Amino acid sequence: MASDNVLAASVVVSSTVKNAKEPWKIVFHVITDRKTYAAMHAWFALYPLSPAIIEVKGVHQFSWLTKDHVPVLEALETHNNILWYYHGDLGVGTNLSDSPRLLASKLQARSPKYISILNHLRIYLPELFPDLKKVIFLDDDVVVQRDLSPLWSIDMKGNVNGAVETCRGEDTWVMSKTFKTYFDFSNPLIANNFDSKKCAWAYGMNIFDLEAWRNSQITKVYHHWVKQNINANLTLWRLGTLPPSLIAFDGHVHPIDPLWHMLGLGYQPKTDIESVKQAAVIHYNGQAKPWLDIAFPELKPFWTKYVDYSNEFIRHCNILES
């Protein structure tokens, strides 16, 4: 997991360990930025989740992770259009008639987190952990509700990324995502290279076969298309790291059962509660994060049950149980 949110990270780790059948087999790798490193490290030192092992590292501890060696970093840090888009007038593109949630969604799309190195770290997992053969990657806005060990025995059929597809399912709002959802197919560079009807897949709970990844060109392809988008003044896509990843992992994705990863708890106001209860991992992707006041009241308890409200630090965070 890559996160600069100590509280969110603690819930992910706690929920994973508490629902594991064999927690002593779990090694959790948490990567954070320099400013959060001391707090993140201190939290898991003060509140270890034995017998699991939690390792906390800061991006500054990876000496090779600099803009001189990682092309996308230099581009993200120096391109004027990117700096303006994410740090300029965030009110551009909004109007007074926008509903509060639509406004929040538009502002989220302009969040500077999308040019944070933490947001791009997952594309460097093979280099970050050169001795590991396979990992399960979790976003920091998920809750793990089931034992995840069966994921290790899934036959990936030589693919790199085990993920839930998001183009089919009963929830036609959350599970209706194709390449057309994320890319501008009026641009010839996109239209001539990709199929608009191709199924998208979800980031947030992924099985990554790092050995297969190291034998691919995935990271190189990712860099190439991030640069193409920068050269096109961010018009190929706008939001986050999923679009270039959809391209980079194309042909390397193994679909897994949707019950492993349920999405939309941060933007779907009509989420089926029974489906939430059955899912192995629930994902609060969207603007209504469970630690915020705008979280959906009926969905927040699935997250807060893993927050220790007796903790003195938590009590100062003003995070309400319901």
Side-chain angles (χ1 to χ4, degrees):
M1 175 173 52
S3 175
D4 61 355
N5 185 324
V6 177
L7 180 60
S10 72
V11 168
V12 177
V13 176
S14 176
S15 64
T16 303
V17 174
K18 289 181 178 179
N19 288 300
K21 291 182 178 179
E22 299 176 308
W24 56 89
K25 291 186 177 180
I26 292 178
V27 178
F28 228 109
H29 304 275
V30 181
I31 304 177
T32 190
D33 56 17
R34 182 187 290 271
K35 68 179 175 59
T36 314
Y37 173 74
M40 190 78 76
H41 190 277
W43 178 269
F44 287 110
L46 287 169
Y47 310 108
L49 288 160
S50 300
I53 296 172
I54 297 113
E55 176 194 56
V56 178
K57 285 193 172 183
V59 292
H60 58 284
Q61 293 176 305
F62 298 94
S63 58
W64 57 270
L65 199 58
T66 66
K67 62 182 181 181
D68 295 328
H69 294 90
V70 182
V72 70
L73 287 183
E74 182 175 14
L76 290 172
E77 290 181 5
T78 60
H79 197 277
N80 286 332
N81 284 347
I82 288 183
L83 294 176
W84 179 86
Y85 183 77
Y86 290 106
H87 293 283
D89 184 0
L90 299 183
V92 172
T94 63
N95 58 65
L96 295 177
S97 64
D98 288 337
S99 69
R101 292 202 181 279
L102 177 60
L103 178 60
S105 180
K106 288 182 177 182
L107 290 176
Q108 183 194 26
R110 301 283 298 275
S111 171
K113 76 174 186 177
Y114 292 120
I115 55 173
S116 163
I117 181 55
L118 285 179
N119 207 40
H120 290 268
L121 270 185
R122 69 193 82 190
I123 203 64
Y124 304 113
L125 285 172
E127 293 78 28
L128 290 167
F129 302 105
D131 297 326
L132 297 184
K133 297 180 180 179
K134 184 184 290 186
V135 297
I136 295 172
F137 184 89
L138 297 170
D139 274 349
D140 66 0
D141 54 355
V142 308
V143 173
V144 177
Q145 303 187 123
R146 301 284 184 272
D147 175 47
L148 297 184
S149 59
L151 292 173
W152 292 99
S153 60
I154 290 178
D155 181 4
M156 300 266 284
K157 303 185 185 304
N159 288 299
V160 174
N161 180 5
V164 168
E165 292 184 318
T166 55
C167 63
R168 57 181 69 89
E170 293 183 5
D171 190 336
T172 56
W173 189 16
V174 175
M175 303 296 283
S176 60
K177 306 295 193 300
T178 63
F179 272 41
K180 187 177 181 179
T181 307
Y182 298 98
F183 299 100
D184 179 9
F185 275 86
S186 67
N187 189 304
L189 189 59
I190 294 296
N192 294 335
N193 283 282
F194 307 107
D195 178 1
S196 65
K197 297 180 181 179
K198 183 180 285 289
C199 192
W201 46 267
Y203 256 157
M205 198 291 294
N206 303 83
I207 316 161
F208 288 122
D209 184 330
L210 300 185
E211 290 188 306
W213 190 336
R214 294 183 185 104
N215 293 323
S216 74
Q217 297 293 310
I218 288 171
T219 304
K220 183 177 180 180
V221 172
Y222 183 93
H223 284 161
H224 171 77
W225 280 97
V226 168
K227 283 197 167 184
Q228 291 293 317
N229 192 36
I230 291 171
N231 293 338
N233 290 322
L234 305 182
T235 58
L236 303 186
W237 67 82
R238 286 282 183 174
L239 183 62
T241 56
L242 179 57
S245 296
L246 291 175
I247 296 173
F249 285 99
D250 192 20
H252 300 278
V253 178
H254 177 73
I256 62 175
D257 192 314
L259 284 175
W260 281 113
H261 184 192
M262 182 178 183
L263 298 130
L265 277 72
Y267 68 86
Q268 165 62 294
K270 298 180 181 179
T271 302
D272 180 66
I273 297 298
E274 289 305 312
S275 296
V276 174
K277 292 176 181 178
Q278 295 173 20
V281 176
I282 54 174
H283 194 171
Y284 293 84
N285 57 313
Q287 68 272 18
K289 301 301 183 190
W291 52 85
L292 299 178
D293 290 341
I294 62 172
F296 299 114
E298 68 276 17
L299 299 176
K300 192 169 184 175
F302 291 95
W303 183 84
T304 57
K305 68 182 290 187
Y306 295 101
V307 178
D308 180 7
Y309 287 94
S310 68
N311 184 285
E312 62 176 312
F313 296 110
I314 298 296
R315 291 199 300 271
H316 285 90
C317 287
N318 196 33
I319 303 294
L320 304 178
E321 292 189 56
S322 60

